[in-house]
């Protein structure tokens, strides 16, 4: 299976941007050897290098269509949940619940998306996992910090599995006049979310002066947010050709995605702060953990999914 | 043949440990060099020495042997194979009533042959809320008899949650193995003072300490 024409053109454009980024990074590192900006440029280059790997993984998944995306995002969920629960102070008594979270709830959620059972995948974790997992935890009789433990496990499942699974779920949406092209909605979402992160980072590094939330995320600035949000919204509008939206609708969708992504970044940073860690993990060089890269996507994917489902499906 | 099977199983176990725990080695106090060392670590789970062993680069792995209880690892054919041919363990007799020879004998022999060792000076798995149990004196005797061997404190983080005592199936959580600043026996040092110093060296290697500072 190869990428078809439209998907291929999207990836070709992304690869062109990455090539320009890599060349720029290379020139910057030649110019600034040893200077104070050196560490920032080193990190920038590590980030760009990791982008090549991430885009490669996405291209491979896209080539296998819905199944490819489900497998890829199930793996991402696994790694994200592992990062989340690593810093959540569960007890020995939660062993069974944790095991069920990883090896029952996670695969079932993605299986339900695979068979396109919307009625169940949209409530499976919020209702059934929510009600049953605490029962597994209490079987061992340990009540110390019980509410904290069950809440954290549920929060991990909601963010890392439930929310994230809405990315491949986009492919299941039945949109008149758009059948067979839904996979491009995934491309649209990821390009806007990650584009917004990159653009906010760039605007912030170039013009950032006023911090928005110094206690939560010291690198976020007003200039970065406004510049990044506006340019990412324009980017979304420009991509309307691969969506079922008009250019105005595409801009609106991108605006919502960017806003939710910003909220996601802040909330997930606050959790890291609470636990006293800087990054969720080290799996993606230069970026940190899986959740450091996915936090915006986690918050924007379900909202994007439901906006389309409400207004664009039959 | 059995050696080959052992090395294949060893690779499988290391790969599995990596897949479940995403273990990362943090060499903070020393470098991964092929020096003769005693790695002494906190003990919370059966997964402990697997994790240290996985965290060591293969050339160091080949020269490092874990110390394990003979009673456990000699109990059946499977454990005998894993203990001897997979991990190349030094098996010691922990049973105080029946031991006639020096219980440290096999360990001293391995050190004389140039092997590095993995040792859990708490003696048993720690399941309480204290970060470390008091150290058994074995480490002191070895440090005094082999003053040229570096003693490297190794903090294993989180494996107690991946595979708590009494559980059979691991859950996937991230683990790290931190290698701290080596210590040595100082001439004339008394046993309790040395053991306390070793214990605080190990506690100082724990990332919990960094986290508390960061928060």
């Amino acid at each position: 299976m190869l990428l078809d024409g439209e998907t291929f053109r999207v990836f070709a454009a992304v690869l062109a941007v990455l090539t320009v980024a890599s060349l720029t990074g290379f020139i910057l590192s030649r110019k600034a050897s040893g200077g104070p900006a050196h560490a920032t440029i080193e990190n920038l280059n590590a980030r760009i290098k990791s982008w090549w790997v991430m885009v490669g993984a996405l291209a491979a998944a896209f080539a296998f269509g819905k199944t490819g995306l489900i497998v890829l995002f199930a793996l991402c969920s696994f790694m994200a949940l592992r990062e989340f629960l690593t810093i959540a102070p569960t007890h020995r008594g939660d062993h069974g619940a944790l095991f069920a979270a990883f090896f029952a709830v996670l695969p079932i959620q993605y299986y339900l998306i695979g068979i396109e059972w919307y009625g169940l995948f949209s409530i499976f974790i919020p209702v059934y996992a929510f009600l049953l997992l605490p029962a597994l935890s209490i079987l061992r009789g340990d009540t110390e910090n019980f509410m904290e433990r069950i809440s954290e496990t549920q929060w991990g499942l909601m963010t890392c599995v439930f929310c994230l699974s809405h990315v491949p779920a986009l492919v299941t949406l039945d949109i008149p006049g758009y059948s067979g092209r839904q996979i491009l909605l995934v491309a649209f979402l990821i390009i806007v979310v990650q584009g917004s992160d990159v653009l906010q980072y760039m605007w912030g590094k170039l013009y950032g002066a006023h911090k928005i939330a110094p206690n939560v995320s010291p690198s976020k600035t007003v200039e970065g947010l406004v510049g990044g949000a506006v340019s990412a919204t324009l980017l979304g509008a420009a991509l309307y050709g691969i969506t079922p939206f008009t250019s105005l609708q595409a801009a609106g969708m991108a605006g919502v995605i960017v806003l939710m992504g910003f909220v996601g970044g802040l909330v997930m940073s606050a959790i890291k702060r609470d636990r006293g860690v800087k990054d969720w993990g080290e799996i993606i060089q230069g970026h940190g953990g899986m959740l450091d890269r996915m936090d915006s996507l986690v918050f924007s994917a379900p909202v994007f999914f439901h906006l389309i489902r409400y207004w664009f499906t039959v | 043949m059995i050696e080959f099977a052992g090395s294949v199983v060893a690779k499988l176990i290391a790969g599995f440990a990596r897949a479940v725990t995403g273990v990362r080695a943090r060499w903070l106090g020393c470098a991964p060099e092929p020096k003769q060392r005693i790695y002494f670590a906190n003990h919370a789970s059966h997964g402990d020495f697997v994790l240290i062993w996985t965290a060591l680069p293969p050339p160091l792995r080949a020269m490092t042997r874990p110390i394990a209880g003979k009673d456990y690892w000699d109990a059946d054919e499977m454990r005998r194979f894993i203990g001897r041919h997979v991990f190349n363990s030094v098996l010691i007799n922990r049973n105080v009533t029946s031991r006639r020879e020096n219980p440290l004998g096999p360990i001293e022999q391995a050190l004389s042959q140039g092997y590095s060792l993995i040792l859990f000076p708490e003696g048993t798995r720690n399941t309480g809320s204290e970060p470390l149990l008091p150290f058994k004196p074995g480490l002191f005797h070895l440090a005094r008899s082999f003053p040229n061997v570096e003693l490297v404190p190794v903090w294993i983080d989180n494996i107690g949650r991946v595979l708590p005592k009494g559980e059979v199936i691991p859950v996937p959580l991230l683990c790290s193995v931190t290698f701290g600043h080596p210590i040595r026996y100082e001439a004339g040092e008394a046993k309790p003072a040395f053991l306390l110093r070793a214990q605080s060296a190990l506690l100082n290697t724990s990332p919990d300490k960094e986290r508390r500072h960061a928060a």
Side-chain angles (χ1 to χ4, degrees):
Chain A
M1 274 168 280
L2 286 166
L3 300 174
D4 71 28
E6 218 173 359
T7 321
F8 181 80
R9 281 197 292 280
V10 171
F11 271 97
V14 171
L15 290 183
V17 172
L18 269 184
T19 308
V20 172
S22 288
L23 286 174
T24 314
F26 177 72
I27 293 166
L28 283 175
S29 74
R30 287 287 292 271
K31 271 187 171 172
S33 58
H38 192 63
T40 309
I41 292 166
E42 282 291 292
N43 176 262
L44 177 72
N45 283 328
R47 281 169 186 254
I48 296 169
K49 224 178 260 173
S50 296
W51 273 117
W52 283 98
V53 178
M54 291 188 273
V55 170
L58 278 167
F62 269 73
F64 288 94
K66 187 177 88 176
T67 315
L69 283 174
I70 286 177
V71 170
L72 177 69
F73 278 88
L75 286 172
C76 290
S77 279
F78 177 86
M79 288 186 270
L81 186 63
R82 189 167 71 169
E83 288 170 0
F84 193 97
L85 291 175
T86 294
I87 63 164
T90 54
H91 285 195
R92 284 185 57 194
D94 301 315
H95 202 75
L98 292 182
F99 186 79
F102 279 103
F103 298 110
V105 178
L106 190 158
I108 290 173
Q109 173 70 13
Y110 280 93
Y111 172 73
L112 292 173
I113 288 171
I115 61 169
E116 310 198 0
W117 188 355
Y118 170 79
L120 192 52
F121 84 62
S122 60
I123 60 160
F124 175 64
I125 290 172
V127 176
Y128 294 96
F130 176 69
L131 296 175
L132 291 174
L133 283 186
L136 281 180
S137 277
I138 205 55
L139 284 179
R140 310 281 184 97
D142 178 3
T143 54
E144 198 195 328
N145 296 332
F146 184 66
M147 195 156 103
E148 201 180 322
R149 285 154 44 202
I150 58 172
S151 312
E152 281 166 348
T153 309
Q154 183 66 17
W155 241 84
L157 279 174
M158 282 300 291
T159 49
C160 304
V161 183
F162 179 75
C163 288
L164 203 53
S165 73
H166 284 73
V167 178
L170 288 168
V171 182
T172 69
L173 290 170
D174 189 9
I175 304 162
Y178 194 67
S179 69
R181 293 174 68 204
Q182 295 98 321
I183 203 162
L184 290 166
L185 289 172
V186 178
F188 177 81
L189 173 65
I190 294 177
I191 290 173
V192 171
V193 168
Q194 305 296 357
S196 163
D197 279 4
V198 171
L199 289 164
Q200 285 185 42
Y201 171 90
M202 283 168 57
W203 282 87
K205 286 273 177 239
L206 293 175
Y207 305 107
H210 304 87
K211 294 186 190 309
I212 293 179
N215 291 329
V216 185
S217 193
S219 61
K220 285 198 166 55
T221 60
V222 179
E223 294 79 3
L225 173 65
V226 174
V230 171
S231 40
T233 304
L234 291 176
L235 173 68
L239 286 171
Y240 83 97
I242 62 166
T243 69
F245 319 135
T246 65
S247 57
L248 205 60
Q249 286 166 337
M253 285 291 191
V256 173
I257 290 170
V258 169
L259 194 69
M260 287 312 297
F262 179 73
V263 173
L266 272 188
V267 171
M268 298 312 268
S269 289
I271 293 176
K272 285 190 292 186
R273 284 269 136 179
D274 177 30
R275 290 278 163 254
V277 297
K278 192 182 149 283
D279 286 328
W280 285 101
E282 295 195 336
I283 202 161
I284 312 176
Q285 277 230 321
H287 298 259
M290 183 60 74
L291 273 174
D292 289 295
R293 194 63 276 140
M294 294 287 181
D295 51 6
S296 322
L297 196 58
V298 161
F299 275 61
S300 52
V303 176
F304 181 56
F305 176 92
H306 286 290
L307 288 179
I308 300 175
R309 193 169 182 280
Y310 187 76
W311 271 302
F312 292 89
T313 63
V314 278
Chain B
M1 184 60 207
I2 196 154
E3 300 301 319
F4 175 72
S7 74
V8 169
V9 175
K11 285 210 171 64
L12 287 176
I13 292 178
F16 179 71
R18 219 177 268 284
V20 171
T21 67
V23 60
R24 71 200 160 79
R26 309 160 75 229
W27 294 86
L28 297 189
C30 56
E33 297 163 310
K35 288 185 183 169
Q36 191 180 18
R37 287 168 167 166
I38 296 177
Y39 301 97
F40 65 101
N42 57 317
H43 197 19
S45 157
H46 273 323
D48 280 337
F49 76 86
V50 176
L51 218 57
I52 298 189
W53 192 77
T54 306
L56 290 172
L60 269 64
R61 215 184 271 173
M63 62 176 284
T64 305
R65 304 175 65 183
I67 296 170
K70 197 174 181 137
D71 47 302
Y72 181 82
W73 290 100
D74 257 354
D76 59 55
E77 205 53 48
M78 179 73 183
R79 290 187 209 172
R80 246 198 302 279
F81 170 70
I82 292 179
R84 278 164 210 250
H85 298 287
V86 177
F87 294 118
N88 192 16
S89 330
V90 179
L91 298 181
I92 58 162
N93 192 347
R94 295 187 288 192
N95 195 340
V96 185
T97 53
S98 76
R99 67 189 181 198
R100 294 208 185 89
E101 79 262 53
N102 171 15
L104 295 179
I107 305 180
E108 291 170 352
Q109 194 192 342
L111 283 174
S112 313
Q113 289 167 347
Y115 282 107
S116 292
L117 299 174
I118 299 172
L119 183 124
F120 301 103
E122 294 168 275
T124 184
R125 281 174 287 164
N126 178 4
T127 53
S129 52
E130 280 295 303
L132 274 181
L133 301 172
F135 281 10
K136 301 263 189 267
L139 186 65
F140 170 74
H141 295 300
L142 296 173
R144 200 175 46 178
S145 315
F146 295 87
N148 293 325
V149 177
E150 279 189 353
L151 309 174
V152 178
V154 181
W155 188 270
I156 306 172
D157 200 35
N158 234 6
I159 187 78
R161 289 175 62 209
V162 171
L163 191 66
K165 195 171 190 168
E167 301 289 343
V168 188
I169 312 169
V171 296
L173 296 170
L174 297 175
C175 294
S176 66
V177 175
T178 309
F179 298 84
H181 292 281
I183 61 167
R184 279 172 201 273
Y185 169 74
E186 279 161 21
E189 198 174 8
K191 187 164 77 178
F194 171 82
L195 289 176
L196 275 179
R197 192 159 67 87
Q199 201 175 4
S200 71
L202 182 49
L203 280 175
N204 282 333
T205 308
S206 156
D208 277 339
K209 210 176 145 82
E210 295 160 32
R211 264 179 231 144
R212 278 196 298 276
H213 283 302

